[in-house]
Amino acid sequence: DIQFKLQDDSFFELEEAEDYSYVDPKLFIEEVNENKLSEISLQSITENDANTQITRKRNGVLINSMRAFYLRNYSNSDSKLIKCDCCESVTFITNNNYAYLEFHHLIPFSTDSGPDHYLNLFGICPNCHRKLHYLQKIEKPSLYENLSDNNNMQKTIIFRINKLFNEKALEPIHLDFLKKEKVINHEQYDRLINNLEIINIT
């Protein structure tokens, strides 16, 4: 497929493969809490800040820790399933006996240099994940609204953006993406550009 696309000079997108079902068993021995997620996130951002765009890497420890955190805190006690942070549907139990969940960067990691931070990540079903990547832009605002309202951590997108902003994890390119996607409006964008916290404007 890639060779044909190259011959035709067609646009194509490569995605980094990720095993969405794997969980490191060691993570269940130690307590994975929000402080630990924050610590791993800040380490990941520091390491990626030292690299160029080409050598930035997703932090596998962060994703695995997020998965362990979700499994420990948000699994249904009977079914072991976890609700999607977007549509609230559950997926399925994998052959290694864990609830299947994919993790999506609100500000994309690869295309928009989004921070590899737990507050920039949402645990979602494969259908919502594909929609967030490929749905027409005009239909995306309702998805972002669902992410803000339905996420298991009960942290709105505005709260997350403010926290990332205060931790100096956001740059103008990230704000441009959020405004372009209509996650934030012009007034909220201006407040952030002027180094002010954004307010929840409806």
Side-chain angles (χ1 to χ4, degrees):
D1 283 349
I2 293 171
Q3 287 177 339
F4 283 122
K5 297 282 186 185
L6 287 171
Q7 287 172 358
D8 294 342
D9 286 331
S10 300
F11 173 80
F12 64 96
E13 182 176 340
L14 292 176
E15 289 186 31
E16 185 175 328
E18 179 183 347
D19 182 356
Y20 290 109
S21 61
Y22 177 74
V23 179
D24 187 342
K26 293 188 297 251
L27 291 170
F28 284 100
I29 297 168
E30 62 181 70
E31 180 67 29
V32 178
N33 55 32
E34 280 197 59
N35 288 335
K36 182 72 173 172
L37 292 174
S38 181
E39 180 187 311
I40 297 167
S41 298
L42 294 175
Q43 180 184 351
S44 179
I45 288 171
T46 303
E47 288 171 2
N48 277 323
D49 282 350
N51 295 326
T52 66
Q53 174 66 27
I54 297 168
T55 57
R56 287 177 87 236
K57 289 185 180 171
R58 295 169 198 260
N59 188 331
V61 174
L62 175 60
I63 296 295
N64 247 326
S65 298
M66 282 288 286
R67 189 168 285 112
F69 181 81
Y70 268 63
L71 289 167
R72 188 185 294 267
N73 293 289
Y74 307 128
S75 290
N76 178 290
S77 56
D78 296 325
S79 68
K80 297 184 183 177
L81 295 168
I82 303 171
K83 291 190 305 183
C84 168
D85 277 345
C86 189
C87 69
E88 296 189 287
S89 296
V90 294
T91 56
F92 54 88
I93 299 296
T94 65
N95 57 13
N96 62 7
N97 209 31
Y98 294 124
Y100 183 86
L101 210 59
E102 300 182 3
F103 285 88
H104 173 72
H105 288 81
L106 173 67
I107 305 164
F109 181 84
S110 300
T111 57
D112 293 86
S113 303
D116 211 14
H117 192 291
Y118 82 100
L119 290 174
N120 191 38
L121 287 163
F122 289 87
I124 57 178
C125 70
N127 193 40
C128 287
H129 202 181
R130 295 302 89 186
K131 283 182 180 178
L132 282 159
H133 280 285
Y134 299 113
L135 193 67
Q136 290 182 342
K137 195 174 291 184
I138 195 167
E139 296 186 46
K140 278 191 178 179
S142 62
L143 287 177
Y144 292 126
E145 191 176 315
N146 287 344
L147 283 177
S148 192
D149 294 344
N150 300 337
N151 69 86
N152 286 289
M153 292 181 108
Q154 299 180 344
K155 296 182 189 309
T156 66
I157 286 179
I158 296 300
F159 173 87
R160 290 167 184 252
I161 293 169
N162 275 323
K163 192 98 159 94
L164 288 166
F165 172 74
N166 288 330
E167 290 186 10
K168 311 249 185 288
L170 293 183
E171 297 177 15
I173 189 173
H174 303 138
L175 305 183
D176 290 341
F177 170 83
L178 292 168
K179 186 173 82 167
K180 179 180 73 181
E181 289 284 304
K182 296 187 176 15
V183 177
I184 59 175
N185 61 33
H186 293 292
E187 188 175 342
Q188 292 167 325
Y189 175 86
D190 289 341
R191 286 182 67 84
L192 283 171
I193 287 292
N194 292 311
N195 293 317
L196 300 168
E197 280 197 358
I198 57 176
I199 49 179
N200 203 355
I201 304 166
T202 54

